[in-house]
Amino acid sequence: MLNSEIQKDLRHNFTVNVIESGLFGFGSGFASFFTILPLFVSTLTDSALLIGLIPAIPRLGWQLPQLLTVNKVARLQCYKPTVMLSTIHQKLPFLGLAVVALLQLKLNHQIILLLTFAILIWQGLGSGFSATAWQSMVAKIVPSRKLGIFYGTLAAAGNLMSICGAAIAGLLLKEIAQPFNFALCFLCASLAMALSWFFMSRTREPVSATSSAFGTRREFLDSLSLILRCDENFRCFTIARMISQLALMPLPFYTLTAVHQYGMGEASVGLITTLLMVTQTIAGLFLGWLGDRTGRKLVLQIGCVACAFSSVLACLATNASWFYLVFIGAGIGMIALQNIAAVMTLEFGNQHQRPAYIGLGNTLIAPASIFAPLLGGWIVENIDYKTTFLVAAIGALVTALVLHIGVSDPRYLEQNFNNDSVNVLPE
C-alpha cells in the first residue's frame, strides 16, 4: 500500500522538489558561500582564516547536529512536519544578512563581522537539524534506483537557477555602491528562500508505521557502536569522507587568489560563479545518472581526480584566466564529494537503520569539515596559497586511494551485510 502511494505521487514530488531546489539555488547565487560571501567578509577583515571558514560553516552545520536528531527521527511516522519547521532556520538567516550589510552604515567592522558569522552559524545549524529528517523523507518518497538522478536533477535545477542569481549578483556588485549592493543581494536571496520553503511544503509523504529501531536511548547508542564495529565498509567510507574535506578546502581561496593576486574584477567574480554553477549543473545530472548505473564509488573517485586537477592547476596559474578551468574541476569535485557521497550514505543499512547511518555518516565527518579550512587558512597566513592547494591535491588523491582499497558499493553488499547482521543490528 505504501509503495503504491509512493509511486502514485512520485511525479508530483519530483516536480515540486525540483522547483524548490531551483528557487533555493537562485537564492544561493545571490549569497554564494564560495564567492559572494567571502568577498563580503573580505571587506570587513583581511584574515584568511576567517574567510576560509565561510564555506566550512554550512558543511559543519549540516553535518554536526544530525546524530543528535537520529533517535527522534527514527520514531517519526511522517518526516515532513519536522522538515518544514526546522528548514525555516535554514532559509530565514539570509534576511538577517541583508540587515547586517546595511548596519555597516552605523556599526564598526568588528561588530558586523561578529553578526555575520553568528547568522552563518544559525543558517548552518538550521540545515543540520533538518538534514536527517529531510534525507529520510527523500529516501522514503523516492525509490532507491532513482535516487541518483533525483539528486542530480535537484542539483541541476539549483545550479541553473544559481547561474541566474550569480549573474544578477555580479551586476549588483558592480553597479551599486557598498553596502547597498551586498544588502540587495542578500535580500533577493531571502525572497527566493521563502518561495522555496512554500514549494517544499507541497511534498506528499505517506504516513507509515513507526519505524524506530531503538526501544531506549541505551539501545540507540549501542546500535551506533555496533554499526561502526560491524560494518567495515561503512567505516572506510566514513574515513574517506573525512579525508575528502581536505580536497574541498581550497574553494574560497581560489576566488581570493584570482581577485587579490591576479586582479580579477568583481564582475568576473559573478561570471566565474556562473561557470561554477554551470559545471555543477552538468556534473550533477551526468554523475547522478552514472552513479545509478555503475555505482557511487566510481563517481567519488572521479570527484577526487577533479579536485586534485583544480588544486594543481591553481598552483600553476600565471593569470586570472586559469581559474576558469580551476572552477570547472572544483565544480565536478564538489558534486561528487558532497552530493553523490550523500546519496551513497542512503544506501547503507536497511530502512529501519537508515536514520542511524545518515546521522553517523554526516556527524562523524564534522570535525574534519572544520579542521580542513582552519588548516587551509593557517597555511595561507603562514606560508602561501600554493601550499594550501598542494595539501588539497594530496588529500584528494589519498581519498581516492582509500575508496579504491577499502570501500565497495553498498548496493552490491546490501544483501550479504543484512544477512550477516540480522542478529546484531536492530531491525
Side-chain angles (χ1 to χ4, degrees):
M1 180 66 179
L2 190 62
N3 287 336
S4 64
E5 287 188 64
I6 291 169
Q7 290 295 335
K8 181 185 69 175
D9 292 329
L10 182 59
R11 185 182 297 274
H12 169 86
N13 284 333
F14 193 94
T15 301
V16 297
N17 279 277
V18 167
I19 295 172
E20 185 276 330
S21 184
L23 289 166
F24 187 91
F26 186 60
S28 297
F30 284 99
S32 170
F33 282 86
F34 300 104
T35 53
I36 307 299
L37 280 166
L39 193 61
F40 174 65
V41 172
S42 71
T43 67
L44 306 171
T45 179
D46 294 327
S47 172
L49 198 64
L50 288 176
I51 294 169
L53 277 175
I54 293 170
I57 289 173
R59 286 205 303 270
L60 184 66
W62 168 267
Q63 296 157 358
L64 193 59
Q66 291 196 36
L67 200 56
L68 302 177
T69 63
V70 168
N71 200 19
K72 177 183 177 182
V73 170
R75 300 174 186 277
L76 296 175
Q77 294 178 296
C78 189
Y79 302 115
K80 179 183 165 183
T82 299
V83 172
M84 297 311 304
L85 182 62
S86 53
T87 51
I88 291 174
H89 300 283
Q90 180 190 29
K91 303 174 188 297
L92 186 60
F94 290 97
L95 181 60
L97 286 174
V99 174
V100 166
L102 289 176
L103 286 176
Q104 286 186 81
L105 299 171
K106 298 290 185 180
L107 302 175
N108 64 50
H109 282 184
Q110 286 186 330
I111 295 175
I112 296 298
L113 195 62
L114 180 64
L115 289 173
T116 298
F117 274 89
I119 290 172
L120 293 180
I121 291 169
W122 172 25
Q123 194 277 336
L125 291 175
S127 299
F129 279 105
S130 65
T132 304
W134 180 78
Q135 290 171 95
S136 298
M137 181 179 76
V138 167
K140 179 180 176 182
I141 65 174
V142 180
S144 177
R145 67 185 183 279
K146 295 184 181 293
L147 275 174
I149 195 64
F150 178 79
Y151 269 80
T153 306
L154 291 188
N159 290 319
L160 278 173
M161 293 303 292
S162 289
I163 294 169
C164 301
I168 298 170
L171 293 174
L172 295 178
L173 292 176
K174 182 181 179 181
E175 301 295 335
I176 301 175
Q178 290 191 39
F180 302 104
N181 53 358
F182 285 108
L184 190 54
C185 283
F186 300 147
L187 179 61
C188 290
S190 67
L191 292 173
M193 295 295 170
L195 286 172
S196 76
W197 186 90
F198 169 78
F199 278 95
M200 181 180 282
S201 71
R202 302 297 94 191
T203 300
R204 296 172 184 169
E205 179 199 354
V207 177
S208 57
T210 303
S211 60
S212 177
F214 322 112
T216 65
R217 176 167 290 274
R218 181 65 184 178
E219 290 178 4
F220 163 66
L221 295 174
D222 287 345
S223 72
L224 300 182
S225 176
L226 283 170
I227 287 172
L228 291 175
R229 292 203 311 269
C230 298
D231 195 341
E232 182 180 356
N233 194 44
F234 177 73
R235 191 166 63 243
C236 289
F237 171 70
T238 303
I239 291 170
R241 289 194 70 194
M242 290 178 179
I243 302 170
S244 74
Q245 302 310 301
L246 288 174
L248 298 170
M249 168 183 70
L251 289 168
F253 300 122
Y254 292 153
T255 303
L256 297 181
T257 303
V259 171
H260 296 152
Q261 292 194 356
Y262 298 109
M264 178 176 283
E266 289 180 335
S268 295
V269 170
L271 180 60
I272 211 166
T273 304
T274 301
L275 178 63
L276 178 65
M277 300 307 174
V278 169
T279 301
Q280 289 179 308
T281 299
I282 298 170
L285 288 169
F286 176 72
L287 295 180
W289 172 85
L290 184 65
D292 282 343
R293 281 152 182 77
T294 66
R296 322 286 178 203
K297 175 181 169 178
L298 173 63
V299 174
L300 296 188
Q301 290 172 311
I302 291 171
C304 291
V305 172
C307 283
F309 166 80
S310 63
S311 294
V312 171
L313 203 61
C315 288
L316 300 174
T318 57
N319 58 62
S321 298
W322 287 58
F323 284 85
Y324 291 99
L325 282 176
V326 169
F327 272 85
I328 289 173
I332 295 170
M334 285 175 61
I335 286 292
L337 296 180
Q338 292 182 337
N339 293 33
I340 305 300
V343 177
M344 189 167 173
T345 304
L346 301 181
E347 294 183 316
F348 286 93
N350 58 40
Q351 180 182 353
H352 302 307
Q353 299 157 356
R354 187 172 294 125
Y357 273 97
I358 291 171
L360 279 171
N362 287 288
T363 298
L364 289 178
I365 66 172
S369 295
I370 194 67
F371 170 76
L374 287 174
L375 175 64
W378 183 88
I379 294 173
V380 167
E381 290 188 339
N382 291 276
I383 307 177
D384 57 19
Y385 283 107
K386 288 187 177 181
T387 305
T388 299
F389 301 152
L390 285 175
V391 171
I394 293 170
L397 295 176
V398 172
T399 302
L401 182 63
V402 173
L403 287 167
H404 178 71
I405 294 173
V407 179
S408 299
D409 269 291
R411 71 171 69 171
Y412 304 129
L413 298 178
E414 180 181 3
Q415 186 63 47
N416 291 335
F417 180 73
N418 283 344
N419 289 341
D420 293 342
S421 61
V422 69
N423 294 321
V424 179
L425 297 177
E427 297 262 341

mmCIF file with all atom_site columns, all heavy atoms in Angstrom, residues 232-233 236 297 301 398-408:
data_model
loop_
_atom_site.group_PDB
_atom_site.id
_atom_site.type_symbol
_atom_site.label_atom_id
_atom_site.label_alt_id
_atom_site.label_comp_id
_atom_site.label_asym_id
_atom_site.label_entity_id
_atom_site.label_seq_id
_atom_site.pdbx_PDB_ins_code
_atom_site.Cartn_x
_atom_site.Cartn_y
_atom_site.Cartn_z
_atom_site.occupancy
_atom_site.B_iso_or_equiv
_atom_site.pdbx_formal_charge
_atom_site.auth_seq_id
_atom_site.auth_comp_id
_atom_site.auth_asym_id
_atom_site.auth_atom_id
_atom_site.pdbx_PDB_model_num
ATOM 1   N N   . GLU A 1 232 ? 32.457 -2.718 8.317  1.00 0.00 ? 232 GLU A N   1
ATOM 2   C CA  . GLU A 1 232 ? 33.785 -2.209 7.931  1.00 0.00 ? 232 GLU A CA  1
ATOM 3   C C   . GLU A 1 232 ? 33.708 -1.342 6.680  1.00 0.00 ? 232 GLU A C   1
ATOM 4   O O   . GLU A 1 232 ? 34.435 -0.352 6.545  1.00 0.00 ? 232 GLU A O   1
ATOM 5   C CB  . GLU A 1 232 ? 34.739 -3.377 7.697  1.00 0.00 ? 232 GLU A CB  1
ATOM 6   C CG  . GLU A 1 232 ? 36.157 -2.948 7.340  1.00 0.00 ? 232 GLU A CG  1
ATOM 7   C CD  . GLU A 1 232 ? 37.081 -4.133 7.114  1.00 0.00 ? 232 GLU A CD  1
ATOM 8   O OE1 . GLU A 1 232 ? 36.629 -5.287 7.304  1.00 0.00 ? 232 GLU A OE1 1
ATOM 9   O OE2 . GLU A 1 232 ? 38.239 -3.897 6.741  1.00 0.00 ? 232 GLU A OE2 1
ATOM 10  N N   . ASN A 1 233 ? 32.820 -1.704 5.766  1.00 0.00 ? 233 ASN A N   1
ATOM 11  C CA  . ASN A 1 233 ? 32.667 -0.933 4.535  1.00 0.00 ? 233 ASN A CA  1
ATOM 12  C C   . ASN A 1 233 ? 32.220 0.490  4.838  1.00 0.00 ? 233 ASN A C   1
ATOM 13  O O   . ASN A 1 233 ? 32.765 1.466  4.298  1.00 0.00 ? 233 ASN A O   1
ATOM 14  C CB  . ASN A 1 233 ? 31.657 -1.622 3.622  1.00 0.00 ? 233 ASN A CB  1
ATOM 15  C CG  . ASN A 1 233 ? 31.689 -1.081 2.208  1.00 0.00 ? 233 ASN A CG  1
ATOM 16  O OD1 . ASN A 1 233 ? 32.751 -0.883 1.639  1.00 0.00 ? 233 ASN A OD1 1
ATOM 17  N ND2 . ASN A 1 233 ? 30.517 -0.841 1.639  1.00 0.00 ? 233 ASN A ND2 1
ATOM 18  N N   . CYS A 1 236 ? 35.146 2.514  6.465  1.00 0.00 ? 236 CYS A N   1
ATOM 19  C CA  . CYS A 1 236 ? 36.130 3.000  5.491  1.00 0.00 ? 236 CYS A CA  1
ATOM 20  C C   . CYS A 1 236 ? 35.554 4.150  4.656  1.00 0.00 ? 236 CYS A C   1
ATOM 21  O O   . CYS A 1 236 ? 36.254 5.121  4.329  1.00 0.00 ? 236 CYS A O   1
ATOM 22  C CB  . CYS A 1 236 ? 36.582 1.867  4.583  1.00 0.00 ? 236 CYS A CB  1
ATOM 23  S SG  . CYS A 1 236 ? 37.629 0.652  5.394  1.00 0.00 ? 236 CYS A SG  1
ATOM 24  N N   . LYS A 1 297 ? 30.800 4.603  -6.005 1.00 0.00 ? 297 LYS A N   1
ATOM 25  C CA  . LYS A 1 297 ? 32.234 4.620  -5.708 1.00 0.00 ? 297 LYS A CA  1
ATOM 26  C C   . LYS A 1 297 ? 33.032 5.207  -6.869 1.00 0.00 ? 297 LYS A C   1
ATOM 27  O O   . LYS A 1 297 ? 33.926 6.050  -6.657 1.00 0.00 ? 297 LYS A O   1
ATOM 28  C CB  . LYS A 1 297 ? 32.714 3.205  -5.386 1.00 0.00 ? 297 LYS A CB  1
ATOM 29  C CG  . LYS A 1 297 ? 34.221 3.094  -5.177 1.00 0.00 ? 297 LYS A CG  1
ATOM 30  C CD  . LYS A 1 297 ? 34.627 1.653  -4.888 1.00 0.00 ? 297 LYS A CD  1
ATOM 31  C CE  . LYS A 1 297 ? 36.120 1.467  -4.936 1.00 0.00 ? 297 LYS A CE  1
ATOM 32  N NZ  . LYS A 1 297 ? 36.520 0.077  -4.613 1.00 0.00 ? 297 LYS A NZ  1
ATOM 33  N N   . GLN A 1 301 ? 35.471 8.652  -6.941 1.00 0.00 ? 301 GLN A N   1
ATOM 34  C CA  . GLN A 1 301 ? 36.864 8.663  -7.390 1.00 0.00 ? 301 GLN A CA  1
ATOM 35  C C   . GLN A 1 301 ? 37.076 9.686  -8.511 1.00 0.00 ? 301 GLN A C   1
ATOM 36  O O   . GLN A 1 301 ? 38.113 10.353 -8.554 1.00 0.00 ? 301 GLN A O   1
ATOM 37  C CB  . GLN A 1 301 ? 37.261 7.262  -7.849 1.00 0.00 ? 301 GLN A CB  1
ATOM 38  C CG  . GLN A 1 301 ? 37.362 6.269  -6.693 1.00 0.00 ? 301 GLN A CG  1
ATOM 39  C CD  . GLN A 1 301 ? 37.575 4.840  -7.154 1.00 0.00 ? 301 GLN A CD  1
ATOM 40  O OE1 . GLN A 1 301 ? 36.874 4.344  -8.031 1.00 0.00 ? 301 GLN A OE1 1
ATOM 41  N NE2 . GLN A 1 301 ? 38.555 4.167  -6.572 1.00 0.00 ? 301 GLN A NE2 1
ATOM 42  N N   . VAL A 1 398 ? 44.660 10.874 -1.724 1.00 0.00 ? 398 VAL A N   1
ATOM 43  C CA  . VAL A 1 398 ? 44.578 9.903  -0.621 1.00 0.00 ? 398 VAL A CA  1
ATOM 44  C C   . VAL A 1 398 ? 43.142 9.409  -0.473 1.00 0.00 ? 398 VAL A C   1
ATOM 45  O O   . VAL A 1 398 ? 42.898 8.216  -0.231 1.00 0.00 ? 398 VAL A O   1
ATOM 46  C CB  . VAL A 1 398 ? 45.090 10.520 0.693  1.00 0.00 ? 398 VAL A CB  1
ATOM 47  C CG1 . VAL A 1 398 ? 44.819 9.591  1.876  1.00 0.00 ? 398 VAL A CG1 1
ATOM 48  C CG2 . VAL A 1 398 ? 46.589 10.808 0.598  1.00 0.00 ? 398 VAL A CG2 1
ATOM 49  N N   . THR A 1 399 ? 42.168 10.297 -0.626 1.00 0.00 ? 399 THR A N   1
ATOM 50  C CA  . THR A 1 399 ? 40.753 9.895  -0.576 1.00 0.00 ? 399 THR A CA  1
ATOM 51  C C   . THR A 1 399 ? 40.452 8.853  -1.646 1.00 0.00 ? 399 THR A C   1
ATOM 52  O O   . THR A 1 399 ? 39.800 7.832  -1.381 1.00 0.00 ? 399 THR A O   1
ATOM 53  C CB  . THR A 1 399 ? 39.835 11.112 -0.774 1.00 0.00 ? 399 THR A CB  1
ATOM 54  O OG1 . THR A 1 399 ? 40.101 12.089 0.228  1.00 0.00 ? 399 THR A OG1 1
ATOM 55  C CG2 . THR A 1 399 ? 38.367 10.704 -0.702 1.00 0.00 ? 399 THR A CG2 1
ATOM 56  N N   . ALA A 1 400 ? 40.929 9.092  -2.867 1.00 0.00 ? 400 ALA A N   1
ATOM 57  C CA  . ALA A 1 400 ? 40.717 8.138  -3.959 1.00 0.00 ? 400 ALA A CA  1
ATOM 58  C C   . ALA A 1 400 ? 41.340 6.784  -3.632 1.00 0.00 ? 400 ALA A C   1
ATOM 59  O O   . ALA A 1 400 ? 40.751 5.726  -3.927 1.00 0.00 ? 400 ALA A O   1
ATOM 60  C CB  . ALA A 1 400 ? 41.302 8.693  -5.254 1.00 0.00 ? 400 ALA A CB  1
ATOM 61  N N   . LEU A 1 401 ? 42.503 6.797  -2.998 1.00 0.00 ? 401 LEU A N   1
ATOM 62  C CA  . LEU A 1 401 ? 43.183 5.547  -2.643 1.00 0.00 ? 401 LEU A CA  1
ATOM 63  C C   . LEU A 1 401 ? 42.395 4.773  -1.589 1.00 0.00 ? 401 LEU A C   1
ATOM 64  O O   . LEU A 1 401 ? 42.223 3.548  -1.708 1.00 0.00 ? 401 LEU A O   1
ATOM 65  C CB  . LEU A 1 401 ? 44.592 5.861  -2.126 1.00 0.00 ? 401 LEU A CB  1
ATOM 66  C CG  . LEU A 1 401 ? 45.465 4.657  -1.741 1.00 0.00 ? 401 LEU A CG  1
ATOM 67  C CD1 . LEU A 1 401 ? 45.728 3.781  -2.966 1.00 0.00 ? 401 LEU A CD1 1
ATOM 68  C CD2 . LEU A 1 401 ? 46.778 5.126  -1.118 1.00 0.00 ? 401 LEU A CD2 1
ATOM 69  N N   . VAL A 1 402 ? 41.889 5.466  -0.564 1.00 0.00 ? 402 VAL A N   1
ATOM 70  C CA  . VAL A 1 402 ? 41.097 4.807  0.483  1.00 0.00 ? 402 VAL A CA  1
ATOM 71  C C   . VAL A 1 402 ? 39.829 4.207  -0.111 1.00 0.00 ? 402 VAL A C   1
ATOM 72  O O   . VAL A 1 402 ? 39.434 3.086  0.220  1.00 0.00 ? 402 VAL A O   1
ATOM 73  C CB  . VAL A 1 402 ? 40.755 5.795  1.620  1.00 0.00 ? 402 VAL A CB  1
ATOM 74  C CG1 . VAL A 1 402 ? 39.784 5.168  2.620  1.00 0.00 ? 402 VAL A CG1 1
ATOM 75  C CG2 . VAL A 1 402 ? 42.024 6.244  2.342  1.00 0.00 ? 402 VAL A CG2 1
ATOM 76  N N   . LEU A 1 403 ? 39.185 4.943  -1.007 1.00 0.00 ? 403 LEU A N   1
ATOM 77  C CA  . LEU A 1 403 ? 37.985 4.419  -1.672 1.00 0.00 ? 403 LEU A CA  1
ATOM 78  C C   . LEU A 1 403 ? 38.308 3.165  -2.478 1.00 0.00 ? 403 LEU A C   1
ATOM 79  O O   . LEU A 1 403 ? 37.555 2.189  -2.456 1.00 0.00 ? 403 LEU A O   1
ATOM 80  C CB  . LEU A 1 403 ? 37.394 5.488  -2.591 1.00 0.00 ? 403 LEU A CB  1
ATOM 81  C CG  . LEU A 1 403 ? 36.688 6.670  -1.924 1.00 0.00 ? 403 LEU A CG  1
ATOM 82  C CD1 . LEU A 1 403 ? 36.445 7.785  -2.930 1.00 0.00 ? 403 LEU A CD1 1
ATOM 83  C CD2 . LEU A 1 403 ? 35.379 6.236  -1.282 1.00 0.00 ? 403 LEU A CD2 1
ATOM 84  N N   . HIS A 1 404 ? 39.424 3.196  -3.180 1.00 0.00 ? 404 HIS A N   1
ATOM 85  C CA  . HIS A 1 404 ? 39.807 2.068  -4.027 1.00 0.00 ? 404 HIS A CA  1
ATOM 86  C C   . HIS A 1 404 ? 40.104 0.815  -3.204 1.00 0.00 ? 404 HIS A C   1
ATOM 87  O O   . HIS A 1 404 ? 39.670 -0.288 -3.554 1.00 0.00 ? 404 HIS A O   1
ATOM 88  C CB  . HIS A 1 404 ? 41.029 2.442  -4.869 1.00 0.00 ? 404 HIS A CB  1
ATOM 89  C CG  . HIS A 1 404 ? 41.528 1.325  -5.742 1.00 0.00 ? 404 HIS A CG  1
ATOM 90  N ND1 . HIS A 1 404 ? 40.832 0.890  -6.855 1.00 0.00 ? 404 HIS A ND1 1
ATOM 91  C CD2 . HIS A 1 404 ? 42.636 0.535  -5.652 1.00 0.00 ? 404 HIS A CD2 1
ATOM 92  C CE1 . HIS A 1 404 ? 41.487 -0.101 -7.415 1.00 0.00 ? 404 HIS A CE1 1
ATOM 93  N NE2 . HIS A 1 404 ? 42.583 -0.347 -6.714 1.00 0.00 ? 404 HIS A NE2 1
ATOM 94  N N   . ILE A 1 405 ? 40.807 1.002  -2.085 1.00 0.00 ? 405 ILE A N   1
ATOM 95  C CA  . ILE A 1 405 ? 41.259 -0.144 -1.294 1.00 0.00 ? 405 ILE A CA  1
ATOM 96  C C   . ILE A 1 405 ? 40.187 -0.656 -0.331 1.00 0.00 ? 405 ILE A C   1
ATOM 97  O O   . ILE A 1 405 ? 39.982 -1.863 -0.188 1.00 0.00 ? 405 ILE A O   1
ATOM 98  C CB  . ILE A 1 405 ? 42.532 0.228  -0.492 1.00 0.00 ? 405 ILE A CB  1
ATOM 99  C CG1 . ILE A 1 405 ? 43.696 0.493  -1.453 1.00 0.00 ? 405 ILE A CG1 1
ATOM 100 C CG2 . ILE A 1 405 ? 42.909 -0.885 0.485  1.00 0.00 ? 405 ILE A CG2 1
ATOM 101 C CD1 . ILE A 1 405 ? 44.937 1.028  -0.772 1.00 0.00 ? 405 ILE A CD1 1
ATOM 102 N N   . GLY A 1 406 ? 39.476 0.277  0.328  1.00 0.00 ? 406 GLY A N   1
ATOM 103 C CA  . GLY A 1 406 ? 38.646 -0.125 1.459  1.00 0.00 ? 406 GLY A CA  1
ATOM 104 C C   . GLY A 1 406 ? 37.149 -0.081 1.299  1.00 0.00 ? 406 GLY A C   1
ATOM 105 O O   . GLY A 1 406 ? 36.414 -0.548 2.176  1.00 0.00 ? 406 GLY A O   1
ATOM 106 N N   . VAL A 1 407 ? 36.641 0.469  0.180  1.00 0.00 ? 407 VAL A N   1
ATOM 107 C CA  . VAL A 1 407 ? 35.197 0.699  0.057  1.00 0.00 ? 407 VAL A CA  1
ATOM 108 C C   . VAL A 1 407 ? 34.636 -0.045 -1.146 1.00 0.00 ? 407 VAL A C   1
ATOM 109 O O   . VAL A 1 407 ? 35.217 -0.029 -2.233 1.00 0.00 ? 407 VAL A O   1
ATOM 110 C CB  . VAL A 1 407 ? 34.898 2.213  -0.070 1.00 0.00 ? 407 VAL A CB  1
ATOM 111 C CG1 . VAL A 1 407 ? 33.393 2.447  -0.225 1.00 0.00 ? 407 VAL A CG1 1
ATOM 112 C CG2 . VAL A 1 407 ? 35.430 2.975  1.139  1.00 0.00 ? 407 VAL A CG2 1
ATOM 113 N N   . SER A 1 408 ? 33.494 -0.690 -0.928 1.00 0.00 ? 408 SER A N   1
ATOM 114 C CA  . SER A 1 408 ? 32.716 -1.291 -2.009 1.00 0.00 ? 408 SER A CA  1
ATOM 115 C C   . SER A 1 408 ? 31.347 -0.638 -2.036 1.00 0.00 ? 408 SER A C   1
ATOM 116 O O   . SER A 1 408 ? 30.849 -0.178 -0.994 1.00 0.00 ? 408 SER A O   1
ATOM 117 C CB  . SER A 1 408 ? 32.559 -2.797 -1.793 1.00 0.00 ? 408 SER A CB  1
ATOM 118 O OG  . SER A 1 408 ? 33.818 -3.444 -1.785 1.00 0.00 ? 408 SER A OG  1
#
